Amino acid sequence: MASGGGGGGGEAVEEGTTTRVGDLPEACLADVIALTSPRDACRLAAVSPSFRAASESDAVWDRFLPPDYRAIAPLPPAAAAAGGGKMRMKKGVYLGLCDKPVPVDDGSMMVWLEKESGAKCFALPARKLSLPWEDGEFSWRWTPHPLSRFEEVAQLVDCTCLDIYGRLPAAALTPATPYAAYLVFGTAAAAEGHRGLSFPDQETTVSAGGRVVARHAVCLRPDDAEARKFRGVGLAGAGVPVRRPARRGDGWSEMELGRVAADEVAGAGGDDVVASFEVLGWYPKRGLVVECMEFRPVV
């Protein structure tokens, strides 16, 4: 830019150089990106080559992995990226924990990561749940199931009192994250059938630190004809809307049992988060197939 003044021969003033964000050292970019989320990191990788290098660095993905990830999955060799190059090791570990649940505690539980947030998810198999045993081992039958992630599931043979509990230490959940609990279930084959699962006298609760934080009326196998015979009991009898199950892509059904807020999880301290399903009526029931109970972050 020329200086002002008459005539010619003004001195030229040298333009100042501009530093762009992408010109910052990779370590600086990585420190900033690590403060975002896995989803944001993947988006930022498309900004420029320097952002891509920083977004895929181990420094970033180590922050997204849970502190105890080495106990969940050992470090594998760096995985090959889709484009033919090499994916950084920590990102490969992260994606591996998102894509496939990992058995832990000698297979008594499965853990994986929710892909967008990195929060831990848990599946407690039927063997780890509290099931009613009013008739001893004749109440339930333990059997393999072709759709199950576990060696066996629990099939209800016959009972009148049905309540199912699952518990997880609050400290195991990802901090500052709300969670929901789900009962993952099916029903026996048509030849055996099911009974006593269609009345809306079913309730769920979720408690944290011994305090109930959620309670809902539900029905595992809604049947309008059966519901018309129902005489009001519990929440459904008080006019509370009855929740219905959702069909999953893996062939199972799931019923949301309730949610626990992040501050409620923190307030539980060293206690457990407990989720339960209960049928209030005392009448014959059979045919319920329980695969597991899941605790997943609310996204």
Side-chain angles (χ1 to χ4, degrees):
M1 177 178 181
S3 61
E11 285 187 306
V13 178
E14 185 178 353
E15 281 192 49
T17 58
T18 302
T19 301
R20 300 176 181 176
V21 175
D23 298 328
L24 293 173
E26 180 179 315
C28 293
L29 289 175
D31 282 344
V32 174
I33 295 171
L35 298 175
T36 63
S37 68
R39 182 180 184 180
D40 290 334
C42 291
R43 289 176 170 175
L44 289 169
V47 172
S48 69
S50 59
F51 268 82
R52 180 180 179 85
S55 296
E56 296 193 346
S57 68
D58 282 352
V60 168
W61 291 92
D62 187 61
R63 296 275 288 273
F64 296 151
L65 286 164
D68 60 347
Y69 77 89
R70 288 184 177 85
I72 302 173
L75 280 174
K86 290 216 167 174
M87 182 184 296
R88 303 292 181 94
M89 183 178 292
K90 296 292 179 67
K91 185 177 180 181
V93 173
Y94 181 92
L95 294 179
L97 288 173
C98 293
D99 293 338
K100 185 177 181 181
V102 178
V104 297
D105 294 342
D106 297 324
S108 66
M109 181 169 61
M110 285 192 173
V111 179
W112 67 100
L113 301 183
E114 195 280 318
K115 185 171 282 188
E116 292 190 5
S117 66
K120 286 193 288 186
C121 308
F122 301 86
L124 308 180
R127 278 286 186 189
K128 204 165 182 179
L129 303 178
S130 174
L131 304 174
W133 292 90
E134 61 183 46
D135 296 320
E137 55 186 52
F138 298 107
S139 294
W140 298 85
R141 179 167 67 236
W142 297 97
T143 179
H145 194 288
L147 299 180
S148 181
R149 297 161 288 179
F150 300 97
E151 291 184 1
E152 55 189 1
V153 299
Q155 180 174 330
L156 181 61
V157 177
D158 183 59
C159 76
T160 54
C161 173
L162 179 57
D163 51 357
I164 301 170
Y165 292 82
R167 62 180 63 240
L168 196 66
L173 302 176
T174 300
T177 303
Y179 272 82
Y182 302 84
L183 181 67
V184 181
F185 70 96
T187 50
E192 298 177 270
H194 60 85
R195 180 182 182 185
L197 304 178
S198 298
F199 285 131
D201 62 342
Q202 306 165 18
E203 291 187 6
T204 64
T205 61
V206 174
S207 62
R211 184 172 66 89
V212 173
V213 296
R215 187 186 299 274
H216 301 286
V218 304
C219 188
L220 295 187
R221 282 291 177 234
D223 184 310
D224 292 338
E226 290 291 314
R228 283 194 289 270
K229 305 174 189 176
F230 175 67
R231 296 180 180 178
V233 176
L235 293 177
V240 175
V242 177
R243 292 186 169 193
R244 296 183 171 225
R247 189 72 173 172
R248 293 161 50 113
D250 58 5
W252 294 99
S253 295
E254 69 176 24
M255 175 64 74
E256 182 180 321
L257 306 179
R259 300 185 177 190
V260 55
D263 60 332
E264 293 165 340
V265 173
D271 292 331
D272 293 337
V273 173
V274 181
S276 68
F277 164 81
E278 179 181 8
V279 180
L280 302 180
W282 285 61
Y283 47 81
K285 306 168 188 70
R286 68 167 182 266
L288 176 65
V289 178
V290 178
E291 196 220 10
C292 68
M293 189 177 287
E294 291 184 353
F295 291 82
R296 307 196 306 259
V298 177
V299 294

